[in-house]
Amino acid sequence: METTQGSDFVTVVGIFAGMSRRVRSGGRVKRRPVSEAERAKAVEEYSEAVGHLQHSAFRNLRTSIANIAIFFGVVSGWMIVTGDAEPVALVPMSVSILGGVLGVATYAVRRQPLARYLLIGAVVLAVVGFAGTVIASQVSP
């Protein structure tokens, strides 16, 4: 590693240069020869790992979206049960509850297309219910 003249500390350039040093012959890094079968296997394993990562990311996103619809449904249901809901907002809150029920149904369904349709329905109903509740709270005196 390199040190600057007259100082006792190592420069950043010297640290990175020291980290990248390998056994070299003739100034070039020698790689281990890889057969086509090994290369194809490595590409297949890489593609499989990326596929698993994408699948888990989409599953986590779907779960988060369903949880939001469930939250709106639970809050709306709680407000109706405790009597805090205004009479004008009962219909939109009921729509939010139905969206929450569809959000819970996405957990029970394992078939991909049906779960996606349930999730879309849950989001639409939750958004319509929430928007209706906000509008109803603005309209009522």
Side-chain angles (χ1 to χ4, degrees), residues 64-137:
S64 299
I65 292 170
N67 288 341
I68 292 169
I70 293 167
F71 175 75
F72 284 148
V74 168
V75 169
S76 296
W78 183 256
M79 287 181 71
I80 290 172
V81 168
T82 59
D84 292 333
E86 299 172 5
V88 178
L90 287 178
V91 173
M93 286 186 173
S94 300
V95 172
S96 288
I97 292 171
L98 186 58
V101 169
L102 288 180
V104 170
T106 59
Y107 281 102
V109 174
R110 294 289 180 201
R111 290 186 27 226
Q112 188 63 21
L114 182 59
R116 188 176 300 133
Y117 296 143
L118 286 172
L119 184 63
I120 291 170
V123 168
V124 167
L125 289 175
V127 168
V128 167
F130 181 71
T133 303
V134 170
I135 291 170
S137 68

Side-chain angles (χ1 to χ4, degrees), residues 23-34:
V23 177
R24 298 179 186 213
S25 62
R28 298 187 61 144
V29 176
K30 294 234 179 186
R31 292 186 179 172
R32 181 178 66 86
V34 179

Side-chain angles (χ1 to χ4, degrees), residues 6-53:
S7 67
D8 293 330
F9 62 91
V10 178
T11 63
V12 174
V13 175
I15 291 172
F16 285 118
M19 290 172 58
S20 66
R21 290 189 183 129
R22 292 186 183 170
V23 177
R24 298 179 186 213
S25 62
R28 298 187 61 144
V29 176
K30 294 234 179 186
R31 292 186 179 172
R32 181 178 66 86
V34 179
S35 69
E36 284 298 320
E38 289 176 330
R39 182 170 296 177
K41 183 180 178 187
V43 168
E44 182 181 334
E45 288 174 356
Y46 176 78
S47 298
E48 186 176 316
V50 169
H52 286 299
L53 180 65

